[in-house]
Amino acid sequence: MQLSPENTITSIEPAINGRLKTLDEYNELLDSHGLAYKKVDYYLQVGDIRQVQGWILHITIVRSQIKEVFERILPTLLESNIPFKIIQNKSVAGSLLDGSLGHAVVGKVMSIYTPENVNIVSLARELASLTTSFKGPTILTDIHLGGLVYTRYGSFDPVIMNDVSGKEERFIYDQKGELVRDIYKIPFQMPEGVKWPFEGIADPICPPIKQILHGIYKPVTTLKSDAKGNVLKALYLRKPFFLGWCVIKEGKKDMWSDESGRDIPDRLAWQKELHESVQDVVPMPKILDFFVENEDTYLVMEYIRGRSFLDTIRELNKNCETWESIPVKDRVVILDYILQMISIISRLHKKGYVHRDITPVNFLIKRDEKLVLIDNELSYSLIIKKPSPPFEAGTNGFMSPEQVAVSTPTFKEDIYGLGATIIVAITSLSPIAFDASDLLGLKNSLSFFIDDEKVTEMITGCLDSDPKKRPAIESILNTFKNYRAKINQTSSSPDRHFKTKRRYKIEDVITGGIAGLVNEPTLIVNDLWQSRTKSKDEISGKQINEFGKSGGLYEGITGLLYFIARAKKCGYDISPCQKAYEKGWDYIGCNYLEALPNITPGLYGGAAGIALALKEGIEGRLLENNIENKSYLSRCLNIAPVGLDLASGVTGQAISAMQCRDHLGNEDLEHLLQGCLTLLLGPRQKIGYWIMAQDQAGRKSSASSFSNGNTGIVWFLLHYCERYNDEAVIRMAIQGLDACKKLFLLFKKMFKKYGYSVICNDPRTRSGLPGLILIFIKAYKSFNDGIFMEMAEYLLSQYPANIVHENYSQATGISGLGELYLEAYKAFGSIEWRRRADWISDLFLNTCRKGPTPNTYYWLTGNYSFPTADFMVGNSGIIHFLIRYLDTDEIGYRILL
């Protein structure tokens, strides 16, 4: 890969998110022993790991004992020259130990990769003996060998391959010598064909999961899956011949252990004490039992039939509209709940307790519309000064600065949490969407969503970083009583004019947003962007967020390479991203281009997407316009297709080829396009219904998804027909449009029956709607037929005019919707669609946050605590919309949804 010498600069140093930021703690420990190391993901690796796979020894350690344990076992490892990894620092260790990085890595503070010439059984015995007196949580994927030592069979230095979405996956060899994925199974399972070497130490069998707890409790469902301990709904014998429901909070041994050596069982014991002290004054679930079993602790409470305050907010604003668009009666209901909440907090404070976790999910609404306060384990007593020190943690966005710093609690911590909770209730956005460090900016942003100056001032005051300046709870109560009376006196809210910010402000945010892609808190490690990946937790079946490198266009490094080149073509300063851009191409070159043609061919996660990034880099003069780069581009497009769809199939390859046509020879381009059309016109294909979907009942129907279904295929055909006058393809495109018209009638029927909320919040229909709109816009421009404009505008009109949603993404969120509005405005000329794009632009301007590096911006989307830079699901997609918003006459087409 040859980079263009133009615009070569000294890049800023990369930064990573605060939770994962290097604190130079454990690398200093290695330095003190003169050990060389390198950074590998969340770890520091000492020594060379040469085997592909084998039995790994894991050492689990609570945070307060990591250094002591390391010093205890290090001489044994050095004596035999055994390579190992240790977690980078205490901050990352906290994330790993509390389950934030996924259940599969809980407890894995150290990993030891024993060479074949070392007796692993003797080593395991020695390490177990050395660590017997220390503590550590259970490693769920492993078998316990004694002390802090666990083991599993898996990858040392695995074979890395990329899946169809571009994400890295680890592979090892099975007993037949074939490559298989290294799957982290929970609970542990012996791999087939592998011998268990630890006979006499432990058996490779996990104890069965208990079906009955304490002899009387029968868990039925998991209400909340958590590495520190699940929350269970259970049956128990309440009276002779009478079963009752209860909730059981589980505390796993040694989980969430703090610097004082206290863990989650200690928190549950404190919660029991608190409940018994205040439950006659403050509405809380009654405590039924407290017991320890198999070293885990259980707190049993009465089961409250109800729904959370957060779920209630979402139900009352299921159409994702602004506060003022919600019916008056529903706004009054929400305000009544807020008044109840304030009253409950006030009663708790009068008993001398600070809750320290005031959030919308910690209030349940019973059938009688009364609120109940739950999750009190972080509470603190100002009277008896207990617990000391206060327990750490809380909920991101709802924790005051002094709570984050673990200062001595005051009632003002709850005022901060209350203000953040009210933000959710009124704006329908998480408080992390707003920048609370800038009070004037916060007030202005809240004024965009809230029509009452006193309310915005009160909420802003609650989030003041100085606790002494936060309002008293009585003042908050009076403000919202008055606001409720004001709302209740009006039958509807007057229309407000939402004025678009001036152009220079948007340009400033775009420039700062581009710089923010390589600055804290955006997740970038060693100048390589990290993506949020999902893995399935084997215990709960829940999707767990993890992080790692991905080469994809949809989600990954290729998407950033594509975006940065496009931003430069539009005249924006991309110099802060120059170093990451070069490192990104190094990664793509080593992991994809050097492996051609043996990589996945798709647009979203493979070679066709890389071709687009190459094309944009050449045209943006970031890559050399030479034979080598054009050869890579052509080779990326000449890989045998897999499937027909846009995301990973031949349609995506054809779309990429059309976009890259100026860099391909005519013969090469014609060969690529004709190969695609041959497959789409094949004898087995039913035109307009190339791809069929199947529901849970086994019923088949035409797949409506733009990325994975038929609408993406029709969209390609329309683009082909625009450039080439091919009668056969025109007929095929018209047949595809006929199928799209039938799909439109189905959507129209569903909208009339169910409304916006059901259609646009259901993933099965949400993914198909934007693509259908885009097709009708394109068909109108191609055939000048007003019926296509009518269908497109009808579907667009089903979205709220002033939409509010936490999903900002290009893929399924409001930046993608904003680009649809811009396409409609350019095609139809209706000012309504430009006005709706204005609203989305303003929403982004009012929820962008200033980064810690001067003149940088970022967005926190989807209620995640830190951002990724990804194109389709991250911050660069938002910036892409803003760039297009400023230039709705941009030449070219948006190629992705």
Side-chain angles (χ1 to χ4, degrees):
M1 175 56 52
Q2 294 189 16
L3 296 160
S4 171
E6 184 182 344
N7 295 321
T8 301
I9 63 161
T10 302
S11 174
I12 58 174
E13 287 298 314
I16 56 179
N17 178 264
R19 285 191 68 137
L20 303 177
K21 189 177 179 181
T22 302
L23 300 179
D24 294 329
E25 290 176 352
Y26 302 141
N27 59 328
E28 291 177 358
L29 195 62
L30 298 175
D31 290 337
S32 69
H33 289 274
L35 296 173
Y37 58 86
K38 62 181 178 180
K39 294 180 180 178
V40 180
D41 298 324
Y42 306 121
Y43 294 87
L44 304 173
Q45 178 180 319
V46 176
D48 294 327
I49 301 172
R50 295 186 174 91
Q51 296 169 234
V52 173
Q53 63 204 69
W55 287 100
I56 308 166
L57 298 180
H58 289 120
I59 308 296
T60 177
I61 324 169
V62 297
R63 276 189 299 168
S64 59
Q65 297 178 348
I66 290 177
K67 289 186 178 181
E68 189 178 355
V69 170
F70 179 76
E71 294 286 6
R72 178 72 65 90
I73 68 175
L74 183 60
T76 300
L77 300 179
L78 295 181
E79 182 181 355
S80 299
N81 196 28
I82 299 173
F84 65 89
K85 293 177 185 175
I86 183 172
I87 202 72
Q88 282 188 20
N89 54 66
K90 190 175 293 185
S91 178
V92 182
S95 298
L96 178 138
L97 289 167
D98 70 18
S100 297
L101 302 182
H103 290 194
V105 295
V106 167
K108 296 177 182 177
V109 176
M110 289 187 68
S111 301
I112 299 167
Y113 302 89
T114 309
E116 293 178 348
N117 62 343
V118 173
N119 188 322
I120 192 172
V121 177
S122 297
L123 177 64
R125 289 183 188 276
E126 184 175 356
L127 294 176
S129 175
L130 290 171
T131 59
T132 299
S133 61
F134 297 95
K135 298 196 305 181
T138 300
I139 297 180
L140 302 173
T141 61
D142 290 28
I143 289 292
H144 187 212
L145 298 180
L148 301 181
V149 184
Y150 287 75
T151 191
R152 72 176 287 268
Y153 188 87
S155 54
F156 281 33
D157 183 20
V159 176
I160 300 295
M161 299 175 67
N162 302 98
D163 65 11
V164 294
S165 65
K167 295 183 178 65
E168 288 187 350
E169 291 188 327
R170 296 165 175 252
F171 284 79
I172 58 177
Y173 294 97
D174 64 10
Q175 73 274 17
K176 298 177 182 178
E178 297 177 353
L179 283 173
V180 294
R181 282 182 59 211
D182 184 13
I183 300 174
Y184 293 79
K185 294 182 178 180
I186 301 175
F188 172 89
Q189 294 180 25
M190 270 293 292
E192 188 176 344
V194 176
K195 182 180 178 181
W196 175 250
F198 302 102
E199 295 290 345
I201 299 179
D203 294 325
I205 301 171
C206 293
I209 298 174
K210 293 204 67 172
Q211 302 299 313
I212 302 292
L213 296 174
H214 206 43
I216 57 173
Y217 301 106
K218 169 66 175 175
V220 177
T221 58
T222 299
L223 300 176
K224 180 182 178 182
S225 175
D226 199 315
K228 70 177 184 288
N230 295 325
V231 180
L232 309 167
K233 182 180 178 183
L235 281 169
Y236 74 108
L237 193 62
R238 185 175 180 183
K239 295 177 182 179
F241 310 109
F242 182 76
L243 292 174
W245 289 106
C246 64
V247 171
I248 303 176
K249 290 186 72 172
E250 178 184 47
K252 295 287 188 181
K253 79 176 186 71
D254 298 329
M255 283 296 299
W256 271 32
S257 180
D258 59 21
E259 292 297 331
S260 300
R262 302 169 303 180
D263 51 22
I264 190 64
D266 293 307
R267 297 184 185 221
L268 294 183
W270 166 242
Q271 184 174 349
K272 173 180 179 290
E273 182 179 336
L274 170 81
H275 273 243
E276 292 172 344
S277 173
V278 302
Q279 64 186 10
D280 291 336
V281 178
V282 178
M284 293 180 176
K286 293 179 181 178
I287 301 300
L288 303 177
D289 202 352
F290 183 82
F291 61 93
V292 177
E293 191 166 274
N294 294 334
E295 298 186 274
D296 296 330
T297 303
Y298 298 87
L299 178 66
V300 186
M301 299 173 287
E302 69 170 320
Y303 174 69
I304 303 293
R305 295 184 182 275
R307 62 194 186 280
S308 74
F309 181 50
L310 179 62
D311 289 339
T312 300
I313 295 167
R314 289 174 173 170
E315 177 61 27
L316 292 173
N317 188 20
K318 58 187 177 183
N319 286 338
C320 305
E321 299 177 295
T322 60
W323 172 250
E324 293 150 56
S325 300
I326 300 172
V328 170
K329 63 180 181 61
D330 291 335
R331 279 183 281 160
V332 169
V333 168
I334 293 173
L335 291 171
D336 282 339
Y337 291 140
I338 291 174
L339 291 173
Q340 275 196 66
M341 192 182 305
I342 296 170
S343 175
I344 289 172
I345 296 170
S346 178
R347 280 181 271 169
L348 185 68
H349 288 181
K350 287 176 181 177
K351 292 288 289 185
Y353 290 96
V354 188
H355 187 270
R356 306 183 68 238
D357 200 14
I358 299 296
T359 72
V361 297
N362 284 340
F363 287 91
L364 295 182
I365 301 172
K366 299 191 297 182
R367 292 178 176 179
D368 62 1
E369 300 300 308
K370 300 297 183 184
L371 267 63
V372 175
L373 182 61
I374 62 172
D375 269 5
N376 305 291
E377 65 192 50
L378 294 181
S379 296
Y380 180 83
S381 171
L382 294 177
I383 298 174
I384 61 175
K385 311 299 181 186
K386 185 179 179 182
S388 180
F391 289 128
E392 296 179 35
T395 304
N396 190 35
F398 299 85
M399 287 188 292
S400 65
E402 65 270 24
Q403 184 173 345
V404 174
V406 201
S407 302
T408 301
T410 69
F411 295 139
K412 296 298 185 177
E413 286 189 8
D414 285 349
I415 299 301
Y416 192 100
L418 176 60
T421 297
I422 294 171
I423 285 177
V424 179
I426 295 183
T427 69
S428 295
L429 295 173
S430 168
I432 66 171
F434 300 92
D435 190 352
S437 66
D438 175 10
L439 287 184
L440 179 59
L442 175 63
K443 181 184 175 184
N444 291 335
S445 293
L446 291 176
S447 296
F448 176 74
F449 295 94
I450 305 170
D451 64 341
D452 189 283
E453 185 175 359
K454 291 183 179 178
V455 171
T456 56
E457 287 180 349
M458 181 60 68
I459 297 173
T460 302
C462 289
L463 272 64
D464 197 309
S465 60
D466 184 350
K468 295 178 182 178
K469 294 181 179 179
R470 292 175 204 151
I473 198 161
E474 294 80 7
S475 178
I476 303 172
L477 182 65
N478 289 332
T479 296
F480 279 92
K481 280 183 177 179
N482 293 335
Y483 186 51
R484 182 197 181 283
K486 175 183 173 181
I487 292 290
N488 206 28
Q489 288 170 1
T490 59
S491 57
S492 62
S493 294
D495 291 334
R496 273 204 298 155
H497 178 61
F498 297 95
K499 187 176 181 180
T500 304
K501 305 285 185 180
R502 285 184 287 182
R503 182 183 182 94
Y504 79 86
K505 174 62 177 175
I506 302 177
E507 289 178 339
D508 177 56
V509 169
I510 291 172
T511 302
I514 292 171
L517 296 176
V518 289
N519 278 280
E520 188 181 343
T522 302
L523 191 56
I524 180 168
V525 181
N526 300 329
D527 295 308
L528 287 175
W529 287 286
Q530 307 290 295
S531 296
R532 189 175 283 109
T533 62
K534 290 185 180 295
S535 62
K536 191 173 183 180
D537 185 276
E538 298 294 332
I539 292 178
S540 65
K542 179 183 177 181
Q543 293 293 320
I544 302 295
N545 284 309
E546 298 174 344
F547 307 94
K549 295 185 291 292
S550 170
L553 178 73
Y554 183 95
E555 187 173 23
I557 292 171
T558 296
L560 270 299
L561 301 176
Y562 169 83
F563 165 76
I564 288 167
R566 285 180 66 83
K568 184 177 182 295
K569 284 169 62 178
C570 292
Y572 290 94
D573 178 20
I574 57 90
S575 59
C577 299
Q578 184 77 32
K579 187 175 181 181
Y581 184 84
E582 294 171 8
K583 287 289 290 288
W585 273 118
D586 287 344
Y587 174 83
I588 296 300
C590 291
N591 292 276
Y592 290 84
L593 298 181
E594 289 185 8
L596 285 168
N598 299 314
I599 64 174
T600 182
L603 178 64
Y604 281 5
I610 295 172
L612 274 180
L614 282 165
K615 171 252 185 188
E616 293 293 338
I618 292 169
E619 294 178 356
R621 297 186 178 182
L622 291 170
L623 300 177
E624 290 280 7
N625 186 9
N626 60 19
I627 293 175
E628 181 184 6
N629 286 341
K630 288 190 174 183
S631 172
Y632 278 132
L633 189 153
S634 176
R635 289 169 64 195
C636 282
L637 293 171
N638 279 284
I639 301 176
V642 179
L644 299 177
D645 66 16
L646 181 144
S648 57
V650 68
T651 299
Q653 292 174 281
I655 286 172
S656 181
M658 289 190 67
Q659 293 289 318
C660 298
R661 58 181 176 269
D662 293 339
H663 305 277
L664 296 168
N666 290 334
E667 184 176 336
D668 198 9
L669 177 63
E670 183 176 349
H671 170 74
L672 289 167
L673 295 178
Q674 289 305 315
C676 171
L677 293 171
T678 298
L679 290 173
L680 295 177
L681 284 165
R684 295 185 179 181
Q685 306 302 339
K686 184 177 181 182
I687 305 304
Y689 300 91
W690 296 271
I691 302 172
M692 302 300 291
Q694 185 169 308
D695 62 18
Q696 294 179 343
R699 295 182 295 252
K700 290 187 176 181
S701 61
S702 174
S704 63
S705 167
F706 185 78
S707 299
N708 305 108
N710 297 304
T711 49
I713 296 174
V714 178
W715 189 77
F716 156 68
L717 294 174
L718 291 172
H719 277 280
Y720 184 91
C721 293
E722 183 181 53
R723 186 168 181 83
Y724 303 101
N725 187 23
D726 187 319
E727 291 186 4
V729 179
I730 292 173
R731 286 195 301 272
M732 181 164 52
I734 291 174
Q735 286 178 282
L737 283 172
D738 288 340
C740 289
K741 289 177 182 178
K742 294 177 182 178
L743 183 59
F744 165 80
L745 294 175
L746 177 62
F747 269 113
K748 188 173 183 179
K749 183 178 179 181
M750 293 172 70
F751 273 121
K752 288 182 177 179
K753 185 174 181 179
Y754 301 111
Y756 163 84
S757 61
V758 172
I759 307 304
C760 295
N761 290 323
D762 187 333
R764 293 170 297 180
T765 51
R766 180 182 61 204
S767 61
L769 185 59
L772 193 60
I773 295 169
L774 195 61
I775 283 174
F776 291 147
I777 294 173
K778 182 62 186 170
Y780 173 77
K781 290 192 290 187
S782 298
F783 300 109
N784 197 29
D785 187 339
I787 188 63
F788 295 116
M789 180 173 70
E790 290 178 16
M791 289 189 291
E793 293 198 311
Y794 171 83
L795 294 176
L796 283 170
S797 69
Q798 302 307 303
Y799 291 96
N802 297 335
I803 190 169
V804 180
H805 200 284
E806 64 181 15
N807 183 350
Y808 285 9
S809 74
Q810 283 275 342
T812 57
I814 59 176
S815 59
L817 177 60
E819 298 215 17
L820 276 180
Y821 287 144
L822 294 177
E823 289 289 340
Y825 173 65
K826 288 195 299 181
F828 309 143
S830 170
I831 197 66
E832 170 65 13
W833 312 125
R834 174 67 193 208
R835 193 206 66 76
R836 292 193 181 199
D838 291 345
W839 164 264
I840 292 176
S841 170
D842 265 11
L843 188 149
F844 288 151
L845 293 180
N846 281 286
T847 56
C848 68
R849 298 170 58 110
K850 293 180 181 178
T853 302
N855 303 315
T856 61
Y857 292 100
Y858 67 97
W859 291 264
L860 288 175
T861 65
N863 205 27
Y864 292 117
S865 57
F866 58 91
T868 60
D870 300 295
F871 182 54
M872 292 301 292
V873 292
N875 275 352
S876 63
I878 299 170
I879 305 168
H880 187 270
F881 160 74
L882 292 174
I883 290 174
R884 289 207 58 201
Y885 172 78
L886 285 187
D887 187 8
T888 53
D889 295 325
E890 174 192 6
I891 297 172
Y893 301 98
R894 174 170 174 267
I895 63 153
L896 301 171
L897 276 182

